[in-house]
């Protein structure tokens, strides 16, 4: 794929930090900048050059996927390859991804290249990844569609007596046989009291009539993730459940109506949080409103009380308010949206219903 525009933008960012070169090792960043999907390797980007150092397993694949990059064959070890390549680049200040490189690896690099001025960087490529281009949006839409279809399927399929694990497996098989290359993350199916834990561990508990359920899952399509949560009761719901469920729905709709590109991330979070607090559930929505989604299931920008800065137009984020009552149950509704200048476009199509039929 042609990643030249991304490479150009990265070089601009490198210029603002006076970096002669930048080493990119974080897998999603490596893929984003080069197109290379392999599991090992490192990009060496200078103002003039773009190198991809990887090992024998990828000698054939790497040049095909990353035509803008020259292949550097790693035969002995990556550190030896860097030690022989970097001095010939004529650079002094070399940035590396301090949020990804381990202390042990960094110590080896320093030892092998003592004359280099190593500059820790964080979030440079992640910053670029926030705003999705047309091809990325298309892949995300497909990932969303697969998850939507799986949710629709499971709402028809669930019946009393099946276990949380069986529901998760049915979802997984459905997504894998309907175009997903893998799952975005381990599917969460939480029923009854388990549903009050935002990221509960899917168990062998059979679901029963009247149980609240929270299902959180996603598909990966051409490297891009989707993220979808729906909550409902099986057969019938209590008055209290319906009240909580409607409060979460209103919080979500309010956020989706109010959010837009350029908005401070903490203000977007407040749209939903204020509504939940006012309804009497202050402190029961213990996580952020949402997060960016793309090559990674959780990426920039964050949409949270503690998030700093504005949400970029063109970013794809989740809107996922929840209310969790320990020992009783929880409700979370999660959509994915693309932020536009004056609002957002909701990508998720799964229906929102508080009760499904117990067959
Ligand atoms: Zn989710
Ligand atoms: Zn999420």
């Amino acid at each position: 794929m042609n990643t030249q525009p991304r490479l150009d933008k990265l070089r601009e960012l490198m210029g603002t930090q006076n970096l002669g070169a930048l080493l990119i090792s974080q897998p999603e960043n490596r893929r984003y900048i080069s197109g290379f999907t392999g599991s090992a390797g490192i990009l060496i980007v200078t103002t003039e050059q773009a190198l991809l150092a990887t090992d024998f397993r990828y000698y054939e694949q790497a040049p095909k996927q990353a035509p803008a990059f020259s292949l550097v064959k790693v035969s002995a070890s990556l550190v030896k390859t860097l030690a022989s390549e970097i001095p010939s680049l004529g650079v002094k200040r070399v940035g590396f991804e301090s949020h990804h490189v381990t202390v042990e690896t960094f110590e080896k690099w320093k030892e092998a290249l003592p004359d280099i001025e190593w500059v820790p960087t964080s979030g440079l490529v992640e910053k670029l990844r926030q705003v999705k281009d047309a091809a990325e949006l298309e892949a995300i839409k497909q990932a969303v569609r697969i998850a939507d279809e799986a949710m629709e399927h499971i709402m028809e399929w669930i019946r009393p007596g099946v276990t949380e694990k069986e529901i998760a497996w049915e979802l997984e098989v459905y997504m894998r046989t309907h175009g997903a290359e893998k799952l975005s993350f381990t599917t969460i199916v939480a029923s009854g009291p388990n549903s009050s834990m935002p990221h509960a561990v899917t168990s062998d508990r059979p679901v029963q009539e009247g149980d609240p359920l929270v299902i959180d899952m996603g598909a990966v399509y051409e490297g891009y993730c989707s993220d979808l949560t729906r909550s409902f009761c099986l057969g019938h719901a209590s008055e209290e459940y319906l009240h909580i469920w409607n409060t979460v729905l209103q919080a979500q709709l309010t956020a989706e109506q109010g959010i837009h590109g350029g908005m401070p991330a903490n203000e977007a979070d407040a749209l939903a949080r204020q509504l939940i607090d006012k309804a009497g559930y202050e402190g029961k929505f213990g996580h952020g409103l949402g997060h960016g989604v793309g090559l990674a299931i959780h990426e920039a920008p964050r949409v949270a009380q503690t998030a700093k800065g504005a949400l970029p137009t063109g970013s794809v984020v989740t809107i996922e308010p929840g209310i969790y009552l320990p020992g009783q149950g929880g409700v979370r509704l999660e959509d994915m949206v693309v932020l536009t200048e004056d609002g957002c476009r909701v990508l998720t199509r799964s229906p929102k219903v508080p009760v499904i039929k117990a067959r």
Side-chain angles (χ1 to χ4, degrees):
M1 77 178 287
N2 177 22
T3 57
Q4 193 59 48
R6 298 174 185 176
L7 205 46
D8 293 343
K9 282 186 193 148
L10 180 65
R11 284 178 170 139
E12 263 172 51
L13 275 182
M14 286 167 58
T16 64
Q17 302 207 8
N18 262 328
L19 298 173
L22 177 63
L23 304 187
I24 299 169
S25 54
Q26 201 282 336
E28 283 89 21
N29 290 346
R30 191 174 61 207
R31 176 174 184 161
Y32 181 79
I33 294 296
S34 71
F36 174 59
T37 63
S39 64
I42 196 161
L43 307 181
I44 307 168
V45 177
T46 71
T47 48
E48 303 293 323
Q49 298 200 65
L51 310 175
L52 163 53
T54 190
D55 64 73
F56 178 80
R57 291 170 294 172
Y58 300 113
Y59 289 172
E60 190 183 346
Q61 175 184 336
K64 284 184 190 158
Q65 291 185 322
F69 282 71
S70 309
L71 176 66
V72 176
K73 293 182 174 179
V74 176
S75 45
S77 70
L78 185 61
V79 65
K80 284 200 174 122
T81 306
L82 294 178
S84 68
E85 288 296 322
I86 289 180
S88 65
L89 298 173
V91 294
K92 177 86 183 111
R93 278 170 61 85
V94 176
F96 66 99
E97 297 185 295
S98 62
H99 52 303
H100 179 257
V101 174
T102 64
V103 174
E104 184 181 270
T105 298
F106 180 53
E107 293 297 333
K108 281 185 192 158
W109 291 359
K110 267 201 312 199
E111 204 182 315
L113 291 152
D115 297 332
I116 290 296
E117 184 190 338
W118 292 99
V119 184
T121 71
S122 185
L124 283 185
V125 181
E126 284 83 352
K127 191 175 174 186
L128 300 178
R129 277 170 46 198
Q130 292 186 101
V131 176
K132 270 63 182 179
D133 63 29
E136 292 183 287
L137 269 182
E138 198 40 53
I140 289 171
K141 278 183 195 164
Q142 294 299 329
V144 168
R145 178 186 57 77
I146 294 164
D148 277 340
E149 285 176 17
M151 187 63 83
E152 196 179 327
H153 167 70
I154 212 71
M155 287 165 84
E156 296 279 317
W157 184 88
I158 294 174
R159 56 202 178 276
V162 296
T163 68
E164 293 175 0
K165 278 187 187 166
E166 284 168 338
I167 296 169
W169 177 240
E170 182 68 18
L171 282 166
E172 177 162 352
V173 170
Y174 189 94
M175 288 191 276
R176 292 293 301 270
T177 53
H178 288 76
E181 58 201 42
K182 58 179 181 174
L183 306 182
S184 302
F185 55 91
T186 305
T187 302
I188 297 167
V189 177
S191 66
N194 295 343
S195 66
S196 68
M197 293 176 275
H199 274 192
V201 178
T202 302
S203 77
D204 288 313
R205 183 183 185 278
V207 301
Q208 293 144 30
E209 235 184 293
D211 268 352
L213 276 108
V214 176
I215 297 179
D216 190 350
M217 47 98 162
V220 176
Y221 185 86
E222 286 177 358
Y224 285 82
C225 299
S226 60
D227 195 0
L228 167 67
T229 307
R230 287 293 180 263
S231 301
F232 40 75
C233 275
L234 185 58
H236 55 85
S238 67
E239 280 302 313
E240 193 188 11
Y241 181 88
L242 292 174
H243 181 67
I244 292 171
W245 192 93
N246 276 307
T247 305
V248 172
L249 177 66
Q250 286 315 312
Q252 190 191 39
L253 295 177
T254 302
E256 288 176 358
Q257 276 152 21
I259 199 169
H260 59 83
M263 182 181 231
N266 59 350
E267 282 179 26
D269 179 278
L271 292 170
R273 195 168 304 278
Q274 281 171 2
L275 194 142
I276 287 172
D277 289 354
K278 274 189 196 142
Y281 299 103
E282 197 173 345
K284 306 296 180 199
F285 171 27
H287 54 76
L289 179 64
H291 53 87
V293 185
L295 287 170
I297 182 65
H298 293 119
E299 58 180 52
R302 284 195 314 128
V303 191
Q305 274 179 304
T306 53
K308 294 192 171 66
L311 300 166
T313 295
S315 59
V316 171
V317 298
T318 65
I319 307 280
E320 49 176 312
I323 294 175
Y324 309 93
L325 305 177
Q328 298 177 57
V331 172
R332 177 168 69 257
L333 296 172
E334 176 177 34
D335 286 343
M336 280 172 63
V337 307
V338 197
L339 299 184
T340 59
E341 244 164 63
D342 51 5
C344 79
R345 223 167 45 244
V346 180
L347 300 175
T348 305
R349 300 259 158 85
S350 287
K352 296 166 194 170
V353 291
V355 181
I356 62 165
K357 277 187 193 145
R359 276 149 227 280

